[in-house]
Amino acid sequence: MFVPMKVIVDEAYKGKYGVPAVPGFNEIQIRSAIEAAVEANSPLIFLTGNRGDPHFTHGLVQRFADEVDIPVALCLDHSPTFEDCVMGVRTGCSAIMADRSQLSYEENVAQVKLLAGIAHAAGISIEAELGHVGQGDNYAVDGVSALTDPQEAKRFIADTGVDCLAVAIGTAHGAYVGTPKLDFDRLKAIDEACKMPLVLHGGSGSGDDNIHRACTMGIAKVNIVTDILTATYRAAQAGDFSGNSCHQFYPALYNASKAAVLRCFEITGSTGKATYKVKRILNMYDTASTKEK
Ligand SMILES: [Zn+2]
């Protein structure tokens, strides 16, 4: 069932587990991940960008999601501009991530608050980022700079009305150069201050134990892209697809992608957690009626 992302992250936060957010850029990734989620009885979040034909890709997610009973959300990842965020709303995402983490606090709040109003009026969720999660190939610098301040995070949530917040606690995007070190004391302080679902970006290569532990401490969504793409790429490299075996090429990609997603559920602790009932939700935010009060 296709649902606003808030449904999934709220349940995960209450249950002290995380839900993997995995690449949903093409049909192989989308179908294989949904099959994995059904098999594992796990909620699932897809990440997308407005690349190519977003109406088509986002429509695929909705169509396949509505064929199964488990909750599935689709989040526009790191949307950089106002226009891009609105396109995500228009093309059927059930969440947008408005990343203004490189702006000043005031400018981040101003832009995210405006977009939160738009997202909630459309019945979908919004994630933002405070502090800044950098790049793994620049980890020596990015891994320790711009970490999230707990009290500022609390204020940011109140100032913007976001549904969940991406925090910088020592992870980074892409493949790491150097060993990632997560600041669990900081995560604990952020969780105690915010008491709402937090998001970990740069989950790939951050260490299974680290991720699992973070998911018991307030992280309700873990973005994992590079690990899944790498597993798929390795399957392509490892197989012999010459001659008539070429017919096995796409099934090999599918199976590798599915296996990698299944592994993510184990790491974040979401296996078997799709037990809550969801039904089609028109607008859980009810912005029309709250405005009149
Ligand atoms: Zn990210």
Side-chain angles (χ1 to χ4, degrees), residues 77-78 173 201-202 223:
D77 200 27
H78 288 287
H173 292 106
H201 282 241
N223 287 20

Side-chain angles (χ1 to χ4, degrees), residues 23-236:
F25 303 125
N26 58 57
E27 187 181 343
I28 288 179
Q29 291 172 342
I30 295 165
R31 274 187 186 272
S32 62
I34 288 183
E35 192 176 292
V38 169
E39 214 167 284
N41 197 26
S42 169
L44 176 67
I45 299 169
F46 282 111
L47 297 173
T48 182
N50 284 324
R51 300 172 200 162
D53 182 350
H55 283 279
F56 177 75
T57 317
H58 301 170
L60 279 184
V61 173
Q62 289 185 19
R63 151 88 198 277
F64 296 143
D66 278 338
E67 288 180 0
V68 297
D69 288 333
I70 52 152
V72 178
L74 174 67
C75 181
L76 182 68
D77 200 27
H78 288 287
S79 187
T81 64
F82 179 82
E83 289 77 10
D84 193 63
C85 284
V86 171
M87 181 62 88
V89 175
R90 243 192 103 204
T91 53
C93 292
S94 70
I96 54 173
M97 186 227 174
D99 179 2
R100 305 294 182 273
S101 60
Q102 287 181 294
L103 301 178
S104 68
Y105 178 88
E106 289 72 22
E107 198 51 37
N108 191 347
V109 166
Q111 294 196 20
V112 169
K113 189 178 176 186
L114 174 65
L115 286 160
I118 293 170
H120 290 168
I124 73 166
S125 312
I126 180 162
E127 171 187 335
E129 179 171 321
L130 192 67
H132 181 66
V133 179
Q135 298 300 321
D137 56 11
N138 191 34
Y139 189 69
V141 177
D142 285 3
V144 292
S145 60
L147 298 183
T148 306
D149 176 76
Q151 289 309 316
E152 195 176 63
K154 181 183 178 183
R155 187 153 60 96
F156 183 85
I157 291 163
D159 285 348
T160 57
V162 291
D163 299 299
C164 55
L165 184 67
V167 292
I169 56 165
T171 58
H173 292 106
Y176 286 97
V177 175
T179 309
K181 189 174 175 333
L182 272 64
D183 187 343
F184 286 105
D185 290 340
R186 183 178 296 272
L187 175 59
K188 185 165 182 277
I190 297 169
D191 182 39
E192 282 171 1
C194 298
K195 295 186 174 56
M196 70 174 292
L198 304 172
V199 179
L200 191 68
H201 282 241
S204 297
S206 293
D208 296 359
D209 292 343
N210 280 337
I211 292 177
H212 196 84
R213 186 175 166 198
C215 291
T216 66
M217 297 173 64
I219 297 292
K221 168 179 177 258
V222 184
N223 287 20
I224 306 175
V225 175
T226 303
D227 278 354
I228 294 168
L229 300 183
T230 302
T232 314
Y233 167 62
R234 289 205 176 122

